[in-house]
Amino acid sequence: MLGNTMLRWSDPALLRRFLPRIVSGEYVFAQGFSEPGAGSDLASLSLRAEPHGDQWVLNGQKPWSSGAHKANWTFVLARTNPDAPAHRGISMLLVPLDQPGIDIRPIRNLTGEADFNEIFFDNATTELGLVVGEIDRGWTVAMTLLGFERGATALKAPIRFRNELDRLIELVRERGLHRDPDIRHRIAWCHLQVEQLRCHGLRTAATLIAGEEPGPAAAFKLLWSEYHQRATELAVDVLGLDALTPTGWPSPNWFHTDDPGAPNSSASWTSVYLNARAGTIYAGSSQIQRGIVGELVLGLPKEPRPASPAAR
């Protein structure tokens, strides 16, 4: 995500410094976008970055940062001009995590694992020149990055979901439920959704091959996140009481499916089921995705905002 975005927005000197180290794994980046009170409403972020000499000084908080406890850098959206409108005055900064001004606190989830983290910035610093794109123009840069993120997901996710659905069909056969009309109906629905996702992936691939940016991927995010919840619910229903006492290896992934070739164990399915609950929240909730589809794809008017208490 970051490398492709930097190719679009960064000067050659910054590319020479960072891209080789990103490719080699020397620099591992975590994403620092969402904040308390500014999750799906990303423009409401309040992390402050103020210039001081040849450095930015950062103060604020970034929760829900995936893998931050294993990273040594983060790319953050910070408010660099508090007097500008919400979508302006934001910059994307590259910040080293191994410094005294940063405190990383893992957040334990339903599975008992800690994949998300809170990052606290207390007079943390980074070099003044480590800005992706222009200062105060980070919103456009962020939209480019999110396009690459969802574009990459659109390419690989349909393959993983097809592999997972094949495992689910195998599980249904193992449990002798392949003649159950309700199970067959639900499997057929899953098949249709995976085929839709495959078509989205092919369209995204064609867009990238043509040298174009993927653009809004809200419909794809909406489809896969809601599909995956229902598919894993079906798996848990097929497992029955065995889902209450999981055995075998759980999935090592917090995102999407278990690995291809994973055993059809109850621990694998139940851990993926629990992780899928977050799919309609992270990376923009389903409600936000529907708003994007309506406004940016279908050209519908914006949702009316509720009147302020003073105006009622």
Side-chain angles (χ1 to χ4, degrees), residues 56-134:
W56 294 100
V57 178
L58 293 92
N59 285 282
Q61 179 187 357
K62 293 287 185 182
W64 316 120
S65 186
S66 308
H69 58 309
K70 300 178 181 179
N72 51 14
W73 283 82
T74 178
F75 54 91
V76 302
L77 289 182
R79 192 157 295 284
T80 48
N81 186 348
D83 299 323
H87 289 83
R88 301 179 183 176
I90 294 172
S91 301
M92 185 184 291
L93 309 180
L94 308 179
V95 183
L97 290 174
D98 50 352
Q99 57 171 297
I102 288 182
D103 181 19
I104 299 173
R105 303 178 190 175
I107 301 171
R108 205 158 293 282
N109 62 22
L110 276 171
T111 67
E113 302 296 327
D115 303 300
F116 298 118
N117 301 264
E118 295 177 283
I119 308 177
F120 292 89
F121 300 81
D122 183 10
N123 289 324
T125 61
T126 193
E127 299 171 35
L128 205 61
L130 296 189
V131 182
V132 181
E134 297 181 34

